[in-house]
Amino acid sequence: MKLSLANLNELRKKVQCLDYDVEKLRKNSLQDPQWVAFGSGNIFRGYIARVIEDTIKYGFDRGISVVETFDEEIIDKIYTPYDNLSLSVTLDKDGDFSTRLICNLAEALKLSTDKKRIEEIFLNKNLKVASFTITEKGYSLKNGAGEYFPNVKSDFEKGPDFASHLMSITTAMLLKRYTSSKTPLTLLSLDNHSKNGDKLKSTILLIANTWKENGFVDADFISYLENDIGYPNTMIDKITPRPADVIEKYLNEHGIEDIGHVVTGKNTFIAPYVNSETAEYLVIEDDFRNGSVPLAKAGVYVTDRKTVDKVDTMKLTTCLNPLHTALAVFGCLLGYKSISAEMKDEDLNKLVTKIGYDEGLPVVVDPKIIEPKAFLKEVLEIRLPNPYMPDTPQRIATDTSQKLSVRFGETIKKYVEKNEVQKLDLIPLVQAGWIRYLLEIDDEGNSFEMSPDPLNETLKEQVKNLKIGQEDVSSIESLLTNSTIFGVNLVEIGLADKVKKYLAQMLKGSGSVRKTIKAALEEK
């Protein structure tokens, strides 16, 4: 049986599914769209769409208009062939699978070809939310060298009618809404980066103010963006890795066929199903400008800005993301292909446990709505060891240069403020491990390919003088001063010597990475 609307009644007998009139909801959503979502990938289909569908039980009788902004092949291969249906499969650490059919994706659009329809959606006065799951890079207007991308420069010069970057297109759509009705709207960033709403707001306003300088918009439009558009900060935590073959097999055994994963031309691994862990957290600042959606009743924390920021800080800088990065770096160096397998490694398990409890928790910000120690315990004992979560250190190592400043830099700053930075040993160990990783040689001397990162080529140049078997690491002194990467100048605050010491030890030869980790843990 194929995943399709024609088989909806049969599918409902096999998997969990909300009981509502799908055809009616989709029809009403096309006529009166109230939620448009930019980004059609796994975190959206496996989590966000499900949460929004749950609000149907509490009165929000609309589906979602989905817009793919980067890899439009996803629409052709994952949405259209399956009537915009999706399966969300939750993987428990004990091997229990829970499957939910998602039916509220009313339409699937492509940014490049469906701008007219997107404009119609933005012109609808009843539109409440435009959400974004486009990764942190989707908001960036500049390259790694700090220069505006060519299409952004063109957008600045040519104005709203010729916008091409997603952020420019969004600003242009807001201009059309302003011109048409001046109706408020909420722009909701649901991407996993700190102060995401603030980032979205500053990007939109930068574009709009540049257009104002160039004579395309007036001051009243800027005022509209500042006063009538909401940009809530959010914290989202839900791991949705690449589709797993074991899930495809499981679904096949339950009579659901033709759901194999595909790899698009842009190297996106995706399937009609999304596999994810049980744990999930979504915290949203209560700043909805054109009417709210009953998200709190669907399990979302809707709270004030300060609390959102505290939860975000707890997760990103202490209780999850730093541990992920540590496992990513050393997992690649030690030849691991799964995070759960790393957690069976006594040294790596002990490493992330000590980073969390000994170096992170002492300076953690307690948001009150989620208890940090309990959150960390769940991460270490349930989430990371889950063998049914096919997450890999290679995936998590993607864009590490963009993550270190937040994941470790913020904690380092707190130790600097307390004049206790020399208490840190394992965070410098991870930083040294990352530099060792840049050599693309594992601990046994085998070559490997680094995960994608916008600074890969620049970083390779900076570590070109490092050699296995040679302990001279003086050439990385300038790298250690890079506060953009590390969040702080490691030389100035006095941590550079520890990083260099660990790095020199890791360069001694085969097995030196493992030996360095063991020695650091014994000292700790």
Side-chain angles (χ1 to χ4, degrees):
M1 177 175 56
K2 185 177 178 179
L3 188 63
S4 68
L5 287 174
N7 294 324
L8 184 57
N9 290 334
E10 290 301 311
L11 287 166
R12 281 176 160 160
K13 296 176 184 178
K14 295 181 176 293
V15 299
Q16 299 173 34
C17 182
L18 286 191
D19 185 15
Y20 64 92
D21 188 331
V22 174
E23 182 179 358
K24 179 181 178 181
L25 178 113
R26 290 191 175 191
K27 179 180 178 181
N28 290 341
S29 301
L30 293 175
Q31 293 174 346
D32 179 33
Q34 296 186 17
W35 191 304
V36 59
F38 292 96
S40 64
N42 285 344
I43 189 70
F44 168 74
R45 292 184 302 130
Y47 185 26
I48 303 304
R50 172 170 54 78
V51 168
I52 298 169
E53 188 177 54
D54 282 341
T55 66
I56 293 171
K57 296 180 290 186
Y58 308 107
F60 184 61
D61 58 350
R62 290 294 183 272
I64 311 167
S65 299
V66 189
V67 183
E68 177 50 34
T69 63
F70 171 71
D71 192 346
E72 296 180 347
E73 202 176 340
I74 293 173
I75 302 299
D76 296 329
K77 293 189 174 180
I78 298 300
Y79 278 77
T80 303
Y82 303 96
D83 296 334
N84 298 344
L85 297 174
S86 180
L87 291 168
S88 177
V89 184
T90 301
L91 314 178
D92 185 84
K93 71 179 182 69
D94 297 320
D96 295 327
F97 297 165
S98 175
T99 306
R100 164 79 172 268
L101 179 63
I102 309 298
C103 305
N104 65 330
L105 307 178
E107 58 183 328
L109 309 170
K110 298 178 182 180
L111 186 66
S112 67
T113 58
D114 293 311
K115 288 192 180 72
K116 189 63 180 177
R117 172 57 183 164
I118 298 169
E119 179 181 335
E120 290 174 358
I121 293 170
F122 269 80
L123 291 179
N124 181 31
K125 292 182 180 181
N126 294 328
L127 181 67
K128 298 178 183 295
V129 176
S131 65
F132 299 82
T133 49
I134 56 175
T135 78
E136 186 171 359
K137 290 182 289 187
Y139 304 86
S140 297
L141 303 180
K142 297 179 180 180
N143 59 25
E147 302 165 336
Y148 286 112
F149 293 117
N151 63 332
V152 174
K153 288 182 180 179
S154 176
D155 291 347
F156 288 164
E157 295 167 0
K158 294 182 179 180
D161 291 342
F162 300 94
S164 58
H165 189 285
L166 173 61
M167 292 293 99
S168 304
I169 292 172
T170 303
T171 310
M173 292 299 170
L174 290 171
L175 177 61
K176 291 181 182 296
R177 185 175 179 87
Y178 164 77
T179 303
S180 172
S181 66
K182 297 181 174 60
T183 311
L185 184 64
T186 297
L187 300 187
L188 187 63
S189 172
L190 295 169
D191 281 298
N192 181 26
H193 60 99
S194 187
K195 300 186 185 302
N196 46 19
D198 291 344
K199 172 67 173 177
L200 176 56
K201 180 179 182 178
S202 65
T203 302
I204 295 292
L205 285 172
L206 189 154
I207 294 167
N209 277 302
T210 304
W211 282 344
K212 178 176 174 290
E213 292 171 5
N214 292 339
F216 293 112
V217 302
D218 58 25
D220 287 342
F221 176 57
I222 305 298
S223 178
Y224 168 75
L225 295 177
E226 292 175 334
N227 300 313
D228 295 309
I229 304 300
Y231 310 84
N233 280 339
T234 71
M235 189 287 289
I236 186 167
D237 181 18
K238 178 76 167 178
I239 299 175
T240 54
R242 289 177 175 178
D245 292 340
V246 64
I247 301 303
E248 181 182 347
K249 181 180 178 183
Y250 161 78
L251 294 171
N252 286 162
E253 290 172 350
H254 284 73
I256 303 173
E257 302 168 340
D258 189 24
I259 51 167
H261 76 269
V262 299
V263 182
T264 69
K266 291 189 174 180
N267 208 36
T268 301
F269 288 70
I270 197 162
Y273 59 87
V274 178
N275 39 241
S276 62
E277 61 177 344
T278 304
E280 57 189 33
Y281 298 89
L282 179 55
V283 187
I284 300 178
E285 177 187 354
D286 190 0
D287 186 21
F288 292 88
R289 301 300 179 91
N290 195 33
S292 62
V293 177
L295 294 167
K297 293 181 179 180
V300 177
Y301 295 93
V302 180
T303 184
D304 59 87
R305 167 174 283 247
K306 287 184 178 179
T307 301
V308 175
D309 290 347
K310 287 178 180 179
V311 176
D312 186 54
T313 299
M314 178 199 74
K315 169 186 170 283
L316 283 175
T317 71
T318 305
C319 295
L320 174 60
N321 295 74
L323 314 186
H324 250 162
T325 293
L327 291 172
V329 168
F330 287 118
C332 292
L333 287 171
L334 297 177
Y336 281 103
K337 300 299 181 184
S338 79
I339 295 297
S340 62
E342 286 188 76
M343 291 301 288
K344 294 179 181 178
D345 184 305
E346 183 179 350
D347 296 327
L348 296 182
N349 189 309
K350 188 176 181 180
L351 172 65
V352 293
T353 298
K354 283 186 168 292
I355 290 174
Y357 283 110
D358 296 353
E359 297 192 350
L361 275 187
V363 295
V364 74
V365 175
D366 187 351
K368 305 301 182 183
I369 63 172
I370 301 173
E371 204 277 311
K373 192 171 184 179
F375 185 93
L376 178 60
K377 180 180 173 67
E378 179 186 49
V379 167
L380 290 168
E381 298 181 12
I382 298 176
R383 300 176 66 181
L384 295 179
N386 187 344
Y388 297 97
M389 278 295 295
D391 215 353
T392 69
Q394 291 74 24
R395 183 190 77 87
I396 297 170
T398 300
D399 299 336
T400 299
S401 74
Q402 311 296 293
K403 301 171 180 176
L404 291 171
S405 63
V406 172
R407 297 188 177 192
F408 297 108
E410 294 305 310
T411 292
I412 293 172
K413 289 175 185 176
K414 291 173 184 174
Y415 277 88
V416 171
E417 290 171 3
K418 297 170 65 176
N419 199 29
E420 295 179 347
V421 73
Q422 292 306 320
K423 287 186 176 181
L424 295 174
D425 293 302
L426 301 182
I427 288 177
L429 177 70
V430 177
Q431 292 168 325
W434 174 66
I435 297 172
R436 170 66 177 79
Y437 158 89
L438 297 176
L439 272 62
E440 296 186 290
I441 300 173
D442 69 18
D443 201 26
E444 298 303 319
N446 303 308
S447 298
F448 68 88
E449 184 178 351
M450 282 196 293
S451 300
D453 189 303
L455 295 185
N456 270 350
E457 294 308 313
T458 300
L459 291 165
K460 286 180 185 179
E461 180 67 21
Q462 290 185 284
V463 301
K464 67 181 181 180
N465 292 324
L466 297 179
K467 307 292 181 185
I468 305 297
Q470 298 179 17
E471 298 177 42
D472 180 7
V473 297
S474 59
S475 62
I476 64 157
E477 187 83 8
S478 63
L479 174 59
L480 299 180
T481 67
N482 191 326
S483 59
T484 301
I485 289 179
F486 294 107
V488 291
N489 182 322
L490 294 173
V491 175
E492 285 184 358
I493 66 167
L495 275 185
D497 286 344
K498 282 189 179 181
V499 175
K500 289 190 289 186
K501 179 189 76 172
Y502 288 135
L503 179 59
Q505 292 172 358
M506 292 181 195
L507 289 171
K508 286 183 177 181
S510 180
S512 294
V513 173
R514 170 75 69 178
K515 291 176 184 176
T516 304
I517 295 172
K518 282 182 176 292
L521 290 172
E522 289 173 2
E523 292 175 6
K524 189 70 175 179

